[in-house]
């Protein structure tokens, strides 16, 4: 028996599969992707998103790395204390959903930890920045930095720089934190209005 009929049959099957694939892809392009269903949250119990919804609306901006004369960790002055206090004056709570669920954004927790590590370095007897708190903050920042796994490239070897003279570094691309802060302030204003109305909508 000649092998040609079998080869022809296999060739026809391959053509049919390829044609079907092309037609399917064409239909997807013409008709659009299948609908993506949005997940809704009740903001009660564990029904809370992992990431704040504003992330979808935050524009990107640039931040130039620089050696600042502000935020000196080893300066025990009222000016320096005030500068570090600004880190933890940001809106520390995010209030979302119809139940006004309160959460904390991780980047605020980061800023809090920077301020607490500085306080512990300045005063080993600080009543808030205890050894346990200090250790927690180091571990928290370590894990958050690993989680972020930033892949932005910096020029040069930072270990070779003289930071007294090389005061400006690379530009980073970041989410616009000023708009993020404005979002949190708006949430807080809405919450305060809700409270003033007797804790009901």
């Amino acid at each position: 028996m000649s092998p040609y009929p079998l080869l022809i049959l296999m060739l026809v099957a391959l053509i049919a599969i390829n044609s079907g694939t092309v037609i399917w892809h064409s239909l997807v392009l013409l008709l659009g992707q299948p609908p993506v269903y949005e997940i809704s949250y009740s903001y009660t119990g564990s029904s809370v998103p992992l990431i704040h919804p504003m992330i979808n609306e935050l524009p990107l901006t640039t931040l130039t790395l620089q050696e600042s004369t502000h935020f000196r960790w080893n300066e025990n002055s009222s000016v320096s204390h005030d500068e570090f206090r600004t880190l933890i004056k940001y809106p520390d709570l995010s209030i979302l959903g119809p139940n006004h669920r309160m959460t904390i954004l991780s980047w605020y927790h980061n800023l809090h930890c920077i301020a607490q590590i500085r306080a512990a370095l300045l005063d080993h007897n600080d009543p808030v920045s205890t050894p346990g708190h200090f250790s927690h903050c180091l571990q928290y920042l370590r894990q958050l930095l690993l989680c972020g796994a930033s892949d932005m490239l910096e020029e040069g070897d930072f270990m070779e720089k003289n930071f007294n003279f090389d005061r400006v570094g690379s530009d980073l691309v970041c989410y616009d934190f000023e708009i993020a802060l404005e979002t949190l302030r708006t949430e807080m204003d809405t919450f305060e209005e809700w409270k003033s109305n007797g804790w009901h909508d």
Side-chain angles (χ1 to χ4, degrees):
M1 180 179 173
S2 172
Y4 292 115
L6 181 59
L7 289 174
I8 291 172
L9 186 61
M10 289 174 62
L11 184 61
V12 169
L14 287 173
I15 290 172
I17 291 169
N18 284 333
S19 299
T21 302
V22 169
I23 291 169
W24 182 80
H25 279 289
S26 300
L27 287 173
V28 167
L29 288 173
L30 288 172
L31 301 176
Q33 297 291 335
V36 177
Y37 297 100
E38 242 181 68
I39 301 173
S40 61
Y41 298 94
S42 66
Y43 296 95
T44 58
S46 61
S47 181
V48 179
L50 291 175
I51 298 173
H52 194 291
M54 71 176 159
I55 199 70
N56 299 317
E57 299 167 9
L58 285 180
L60 295 176
T61 187
T62 56
L63 172 71
T64 301
L65 295 173
Q66 54 188 303
E67 302 305 314
S68 176
T69 57
H70 300 282
F71 296 99
R72 293 176 181 270
W73 75 267
N74 58 349
E75 184 177 304
N76 198 1
S77 69
S78 60
V79 171
S80 186
H81 287 311
D82 287 344
E83 287 175 345
F84 274 91
R85 270 195 286 269
T86 65
L87 293 180
I88 51 180
K89 278 186 179 175
Y90 291 155
D92 56 345
L93 292 173
S94 173
I95 304 171
L96 295 170
N99 298 304
H100 306 278
R101 177 70 178 269
M102 294 182 180
T103 58
I104 297 175
L105 269 72
S106 60
W107 62 274
Y108 174 81
H109 196 165
N110 293 340
L111 294 173
H112 161 85
C113 275
I114 290 169
Q116 294 307 311
I117 288 172
R118 175 199 174 259
L121 291 172
L122 278 178
D123 180 2
H124 294 179
N125 296 312
D126 188 282
V128 177
S129 301
T130 61
H133 199 163
F134 183 89
S135 177
H136 155 77
C137 279
L138 280 180
Q139 295 297 335
Y140 183 80
L141 290 174
R142 177 185 66 82
Q143 292 169 76
L144 259 288
L145 290 169
L146 288 172
C147 183
S150 176
D151 56 0
M152 285 178 279
L153 303 176
E154 298 180 24
E155 295 178 11
D157 183 351
F158 63 86
M159 292 296 288
E160 298 296 323
K161 288 186 177 182
N162 182 336
F163 294 112
N164 291 318
F165 300 101
D166 301 322
R167 308 214 36 100
V168 178
S170 303
D171 289 339
L172 302 182
V173 177
C174 318
Y175 288 115
D176 193 324
F177 66 87
E178 290 182 346
I179 293 180
L181 284 173
E182 192 55 44
T183 300
L184 295 179
R185 287 190 190 101
T186 301
E187 289 177 10
M188 184 59 74
D189 290 344
T190 303
F191 176 68
E192 292 296 339
E193 183 180 350
W194 175 72
K195 272 202 320 184
S196 66
N197 287 332
W199 302 80
H200 59 79
D201 294 314

